[in-house]
Amino acid sequence: MCQLLGLNSSVPAGLGPFFDVFAERGGRTDEHKDGWGIAFHSGKRCRLYTDHRAAIDSPLAARVRRGALRARNILAHIRKATQGRIAIENVHPFARQLWGRTWCFAHNGDLKEFAPAPGRFVPQGDTDSEAAFCLLLSRLAARFPDGEPAPDVLRDALADVAAGIAAHGTFNFILSNGETLFAHCSTHLHYRLDEGRAMIATQPVDSRDGWVPFAAGELKAFGSGTLHP
């Protein structure tokens, strides 16, 4: 399956050497070689970079590793395809507009017998992951037609919809609206808080202490580098 890496920070920050370790898993130190992507997301501004090639073979990944791009929320993904072709339209993160914001999403897992009816948001590719993202946003849009609800109400609604999707299989994901980073665990997900930064990863990207495993079924929200109660 794929792997996830996320950052939520109180100030614009970069992944630095953490992205180096993560990108090496994209075909060199691990088997996730079916594409990669990263979103730099702060407020209403989102810069999205994706490539269907393995991260270790991607000139775009090399430029990102050399660069100094920063954001308050970063979502990175390396893909090992379980559903869908190896093609640019199937590379995470995916992005859509809702309530005047850009929402970015990346998924690790495999959803079986999952074919939701078309809603407000329609997939462009043929992965279960993008279908799940579109269903999440469609359900939120239908539940809150007058606009984005309060953060705690939104988190509870996301947890409710995510639980229904997770009934079809493994549904680990990270999701950002530019302010808050939401993370849901079915099987493997970890987080660490460190001086105004929250890191989220499928597997820890360094050997330092402080990585905390999610419990199965947990959805957590991070804002300004802290864990929301």
Side-chain angles (χ1 to χ4, degrees):
M1 294 184 186
C2 310
Q3 286 204 10
L4 306 169
L5 178 62
L7 169 71
N8 174 269
S9 177
S10 59
V11 297
L15 290 174
F18 300 118
F19 184 69
D20 294 336
V21 173
F22 189 68
E24 289 291 301
R25 295 176 182 173
R28 179 167 288 123
T29 61
D30 215 326
E31 57 187 352
H32 308 85
K33 59 182 181 180
D34 297 327
W36 74 278
I38 189 167
F40 295 87
H41 198 186
S42 294
K44 293 184 178 181
R45 185 178 183 186
C46 181
R47 291 174 290 183
L48 183 62
Y49 302 88
T50 59
D51 193 341
H52 67 283
R53 290 169 290 190
I56 60 166
D57 297 325
S58 168
L60 181 58
R63 289 198 296 272
V64 169
R65 293 171 75 168
R66 292 193 303 267
L69 292 173
R70 294 174 175 269
R72 290 181 57 216
N73 294 276
I74 301 176
L75 292 78
H77 182 273
I78 47 176
R79 186 179 184 224
K80 181 186 176 186
T82 53
Q83 296 187 38
R85 297 164 292 117
I86 299 174
I88 191 65
E89 60 266 29
N90 288 333
V91 177
H92 313 214
F94 304 105
R96 295 291 192 280
Q97 296 288 323
L98 176 63
W99 300 321
R101 295 181 184 268
T102 298
W103 292 72
C104 293
F105 171 91
H107 167 228
N108 154 240
D110 189 16
L111 302 172
K112 302 295 188 184
E113 299 180 4
F114 180 69
R120 174 174 169 180
F121 297 90
V122 178
Q124 298 174 354
D126 54 3
T127 64
D128 55 333
S129 303
E130 189 183 15
F133 177 41
C134 289
L135 180 61
L136 268 176
L137 292 191
S138 293
R139 292 279 176 84
L140 291 178
R143 188 174 297 194
F144 305 108
D146 296 327
E148 187 170 351
D152 58 334
V153 176
L154 175 59
R155 181 182 58 192
D156 290 346
L158 275 170
D160 181 47
V161 179
I165 297 174
H168 291 270
T170 306
F171 194 43
N172 306 299
F173 70 78
I174 49 178
L175 170 72
S176 170
N177 64 4
E179 299 293 337
T180 304
L181 193 150
F182 302 94
H184 179 267
C185 175
S186 283
T187 53
H188 302 293
L189 203 61
H190 300 75
Y191 74 94
R192 187 177 72 198
L193 304 178
D194 184 17
E195 298 180 350
R197 299 198 309 173
M199 298 283 297
I200 299 94
T202 301
Q203 297 295 341
V205 286
D206 67 11
S207 59
R208 292 175 57 191
D209 293 335
W211 289 98
V212 180
F214 282 64
E218 273 193 314
L219 186 143
K220 295 183 179 293
F222 302 86
S224 297
T226 64
L227 174 63
H228 285 181

